[in-house]
Amino acid sequence: MKKNSSTLIEKHGLGHAKQEIMDSVYECVTITPEAAAFLPAGTSKFGGAPDLPESLAYPEYKNIPLNFIGQVNLAELAALAFDGNPLPQEGILYFFYYDNWEEDDDVVFGEPDQKDGWRVLYWDGDTAQLRLVERAKVSYPQCKMAFSIQDKLPYIFLETDEDEEKFEELHDEWHLSEESEHQMLGLPVSVQGEVFEEVCDYVGAEEDEMVLLLQVDSDEENLDVMWGDCGMIYYCISKRDLAEKRFDRSWFSFQCH
């Protein structure tokens, strides 16, 4: 959804900083979960159980099945005609995580020694080979992913305290209609430190060489999930690894308040 950016900026008395604000705006793909009891195999979705081919083993961490976060049919994403979409035009991405926040102290935050605590799998074969994995660890309600292109406004620092207050009001109104921050591409909505800055060294890349594969917000209403204290989880990959479809080199981050 395109914002009436100039009108909003002028409304909040920041016309003098319009160019600086507009230069910070970025496009991304936002995801709205829609409850669905049944979905055809290969449909983009959060939760439920994954549709996997026999060639992909269900991932584990310490001999425990990972929680299935969701799957994205990249053809559905390509149909949006998102400018500069760096992802493959076909195939399915699967996202898994060892979600044990309330069970023990071994919380997977994205440290190098926890590398098997998350997984991103990619498959680009015939969808007729996909089967619902009944043995999957079903942890979240099944919801269809509805994709849309949106302009987002990140927090930026302006010169005066007065402008800072005005910008905060602008930011709140800009994102007023957004109930959650489920997202692909664009910039991560960081809860603590900058996500790309946090993970880039782990994959041997610079911050501007990182791509946000998936960001999943706390969402008790739709997904029955709370990441710590109103946190988010993020899956990122370097542009180099993405070009080579090396999704096994994706990195993960868990942030919360």
Side-chain angles (χ1 to χ4, degrees), residues 67-70 94-98 117-120 183 195-196 199 210-216 227 233-237 250-253:
N67 301 69
F68 172 61
I69 300 298
Y94 302 89
F95 298 88
F96 299 86
Y97 173 57
Y98 181 64
W118 69 88
R119 216 70 52 86
V120 178
Q183 178 185 320
V195 173
F196 284 166
V199 305
M210 299 302 298
V211 175
L212 177 64
L213 290 177
L214 181 67
Q215 168 183 290
V216 184
W227 306 118
I233 61 172
Y234 313 83
Y235 297 83
C236 308
I237 192 171
S250 303
W251 209 266
F252 173 89
S253 177

Side-chain angles (χ1 to χ4, degrees), residues 1 23 48 50 55 104 137 175 185 245:
M1 179 180 68
D23 286 346
S55 59
D104 60 47
K137 187 172 182 179
H175 298 283
L185 306 176
K245 298 181 181 178

